[in-house]
Every structure is written in C-alpha cells, then in structure tokens.
C-alpha cells in the first residue's frame, strides 16, 4: 500500500527499543517473522549499535549501548530495557524544526545528528509529548 504523497510525511519510520544485547533481543522479533534489514550499524552520535528489523513500511530498531555514557545505557539503568522512542519520517528536517520551534515545541537539540543508514535526526523532549521521546527522521534522497 502506498500512501498519497501528502500523507507520506510523518509515517512511523521506526520504533527504537533499548536493549542490553542485540542477539537476545532480536530473537522474539525474528520468531514473529520480521526480517533483518542489512547489517548491524554503529551510530556514533548516540553511542549505540543498531539492528533493524522490517515491520511493513516501518522498522523496529534495537539499540544496544556501546558505552556507559550512551543515552541508551542511562535509560536501561533507570527504567530497564524496553520501548525508548517513536520516530516519525519527515521530508524536510530543517523546515519541520523551524515550524515546530515557532509553535514552542521543546527539542532536546535542534542540531541535526547522523542516524542509522545516512539519515539525519533530531529529538523532541519527552516532556513536550507527555512522556514520549519523539525523533524526527529525514532520509537522504
Ligand atoms: Zn531512532
């Protein structure tokens, strides 16, 4: 199913799940039948190793910290393994940042960072969205 162009922005790009061990964490999804997408990838900006599984047009991203200072390591320490963030796909990251800033949205940082597979990402503050950490993702063309 392909959505009309005007509805393609803001699809769920992926769900990010904080895990201690990629191998153990990916097993349930593989048993469910979700195929692995590509190779595991280190995302240096977040100090994580990412394993992506395909769930229809969205991904499940399993995030294993590579460093104790990783935000994912800190999350696991505080709250245990589990759902960490919701990522929405946008066409033009800078335009969305400007638009949301004008509406007083709270960002963790408005400086785009490098995400998985060459994407550019920013995070909105979970306080702004009732406890949900929202990531905006722009794919390169
Ligand atoms: Zn993410």
């Amino acid at each position: 199913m392909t959505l009309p162009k005007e509805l393609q922005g803001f699809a769920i790009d992926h769900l990010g799940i904080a895990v201690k061990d990629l191998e153990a964490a990916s097993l349930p999804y593989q048993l469910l039948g979700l195929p692995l997408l590509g190779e595991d990838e280190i995302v240096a900006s977040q100090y994580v190793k990412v394993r992506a599984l395909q769930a229809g047009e969205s991904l499940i991203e399993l995030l294993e910290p590579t460093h104790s200072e990783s935000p994912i390591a800190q999350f696991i320490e505080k709250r245990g393994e589990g759902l960490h963030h919701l990522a929405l796909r946008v066409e033009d990251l800078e335009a969305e940042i400007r638009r949301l800033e004008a509406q007083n949205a709270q960002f963790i940082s408005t400086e785009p960072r490098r995400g998985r597979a060459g994407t550019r990402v920013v995070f909105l503050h979970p306080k702004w969205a009732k406890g949900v950490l929202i990531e905006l993702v722009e794919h390169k063309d």
Side-chain angles (χ1 to χ4, degrees):
M1 185 189 76
T2 306
L3 289 171
K5 185 76 179 162
E6 64 274 16
L7 294 179
Q8 285 178 13
F10 296 101
I12 293 178
D13 185 82
H14 65 268
L15 298 176
I17 300 177
V19 306
K20 292 178 184 168
D21 177 72
L22 287 182
E23 295 305 328
S26 59
L27 194 59
Y29 299 99
Q30 292 185 271
L31 290 176
L32 283 165
L34 275 57
L36 284 174
L37 182 72
E39 301 285 313
D40 295 349
E41 183 179 325
I42 302 279
V43 176
S45 66
Q46 301 295 316
Y47 301 102
V48 288
K49 187 156 81 173
V50 182
R51 176 171 295 179
L53 297 118
Q54 188 94 43
E57 302 201 352
S58 305
L59 302 177
I60 305 281
E61 288 190 3
L62 303 175
L63 312 167
E64 179 190 294
T66 57
H67 191 279
S68 61
E69 294 301 302
S70 163
I72 296 300
Q74 293 167 5
F75 177 91
I76 291 171
E77 196 168 303
K78 258 203 277 188
R79 298 168 67 168
E81 293 176 286
L83 189 58
H84 179 260
H85 65 270
L86 161 65
L88 300 173
R89 200 173 298 151
V90 301
E91 288 285 315
D92 181 339
L93 191 58
E94 270 73 18
E96 290 303 333
I97 293 168
R98 280 196 303 276
R99 189 178 69 78
L100 289 163
E101 272 189 315
Q103 296 176 82
N104 298 315
Q106 275 178 272
F107 287 84
I108 289 180
S109 166
T110 54
E111 192 67 44
R113 291 172 195 252
R114 185 64 60 190
R116 190 192 148 273
T119 55
R120 296 166 67 245
V121 306
V122 293
F123 287 91
L124 288 145
H125 202 287
K127 280 183 188 153
W128 179 72
K130 306 294 182 205
V132 178
L133 176 59
I134 297 177
E135 176 184 14
L136 303 180
V137 183
E138 180 193 82
H139 288 260
K140 61 185 175 196
D141 297 319

